[in-house]
Amino acid sequence: MKETQHFLTSVHLANERAIWVREPGNKASNVTVFLDAELYRDRVGATSIIDALESQGDIDSSLFVFVSVESAASRWVECPCYSPFARFIEEELFPWLERAYPSALEAQERVIAGLSYTGLTAAYVSMMCPSRFTKVIAQSGSFWSNDCWIIDYFETLDRKPKTEFYLDVGLRETQENVLHKEDVFQAVSQIEGVKRFRDALLRHGYQPHYVEFDGGHDFAAWSLTLPDALRWALPSTRTEPDPANAAEPHR
């Protein structure tokens, strides 16, 4: 796939970040936005996973947009349900993307993906921009953040997003009462937070695609679950030839 690196300045976030865009050989029918670009690219191996799925015809064609985290300090600010980040995605990233890559205007599926803290962010952005995304991939999303604030927020939303959710989490993600930094305390475990968010979705008529894997909070596990997450988000439209219509072999 052709890949181009860009730099996008945000008024809402008062910073600049790298954006990598990967284009399929044919016209893209979808747009998939990965948050935590550096982690997905360097630690999960997302670009190799995408290339393999594309070559096998396992996913439909998509623009893949990797959004840099900008810095570790910015990640702590922007990820825990930060409304300026949602405005950046809606009012800055997508208008720029649609000008630079017009096929994005006709995208059938608009997917946003994140892991851990950005899994939480992906879900939050879908709620803040309810007409923007059709699907969310949240790998071990940090729904525990701020005493599971996002779950209460979702429950009270008058206009809920028309979004499908893929949620995965490891059976070993059971740590509780974790002090991540001075002002970030995790009372409930990762798996408990994900289950609470799943249950909130179910209460409101959603049918989340929920996956538990035998592993912990690590990149190796997410690299194993990402292929199926992408198959779910971007189902292949390639049709297999009908054996009944195959030509008779020469004798």
Side-chain angles (χ1 to χ4, degrees):
M1 299 180 77
K2 178 184 175 182
E3 179 176 284
T4 308
Q5 183 179 12
H6 306 270
F7 290 91
L8 185 60
T9 300
S10 170
V11 173
H12 289 308
L13 300 174
N15 57 30
E16 181 185 63
R17 69 193 63 221
I19 310 288
W20 293 267
V21 180
R22 293 171 64 84
E23 303 173 71
N26 54 339
K27 182 180 177 182
S29 302
N30 310 284
V31 172
T32 305
V33 175
F34 280 93
L35 307 179
D36 259 336
E38 291 84 354
L39 296 183
Y40 266 113
R41 291 165 61 84
D42 301 336
R43 305 294 299 277
V44 176
T47 56
S48 297
I49 290 169
I50 289 166
D51 287 346
L53 292 171
E54 278 263 335
S55 67
Q56 295 159 9
D58 282 359
I59 56 174
D60 198 15
S61 62
S62 180
L63 282 176
F64 290 96
V65 183
F66 290 85
V67 180
S68 170
V69 76
E70 200 275 326
S71 69
S74 294
R75 191 174 189 269
W76 284 112
V77 173
E78 295 172 0
C79 289
C81 303
Y82 187 58
S83 60
F85 188 82
R87 291 198 294 272
F88 159 69
I89 296 291
E90 176 71 7
E91 299 172 12
E92 295 176 327
L93 176 68
F94 265 88
W96 167 82
L97 182 69
E98 290 166 351
R99 288 193 302 271
Y101 299 88
S103 66
L105 287 163
E106 303 173 21
Q108 297 172 22
E109 299 287 1
R110 297 177 302 280
V111 183
I112 185 167
L115 56 81
S116 191
Y117 231 174
T118 52
L120 167 72
T121 310
Y124 175 70
V125 170
S126 77
M127 297 175 198
M128 292 292 288
C129 313
S131 299
R132 174 59 67 186
F133 293 101
T134 60
K135 290 177 177 174
V136 169
I137 295 173
Q139 296 190 273
S140 297
S142 296
F143 297 106
W144 55 263
S145 178
N146 196 15
D147 295 325
C148 298
W149 178 88
I150 193 172
I151 297 172
D152 294 333
Y153 176 71
F154 172 75
E155 296 270 19
T156 59
L157 276 178
D158 290 328
R159 185 187 178 195
K160 292 184 168 54
K162 295 179 180 179
T163 309
E164 296 178 68
F165 290 85
Y166 169 97
L167 310 173
D168 72 29
V169 67
L171 292 170
R172 302 177 198 172
E173 296 190 65
T174 56
Q175 270 193 295
E176 301 174 341
N177 300 318
V178 181
L179 184 64
H180 292 279
K181 60 193 294 277
E182 184 178 347
D183 56 345
V184 180
F185 179 72
Q186 176 181 349
V188 303
S189 68
Q190 207 84 13
I191 191 168
E192 177 62 21
V194 174
K195 286 180 176 180
R196 290 185 188 184
F197 183 62
R198 175 204 62 188
D199 292 347
L201 291 172
L202 290 169
R203 282 195 295 274
H204 290 275
Y206 291 76
Q207 295 296 320
H209 188 91
Y210 176 73
V211 175
E212 291 180 354
F213 56 84
D214 184 13
H217 199 74
D218 62 72
F219 299 105
W222 300 323
S223 69
L224 292 176
T225 57
L226 183 59
D228 280 344
L230 290 173
R231 291 186 186 100
W232 167 85
L234 303 167
S236 176
T237 57
R238 182 182 295 185
T239 56
E240 295 295 330
D242 186 349
N245 296 328
E248 285 291 321
H250 293 292
R251 299 187 185 279

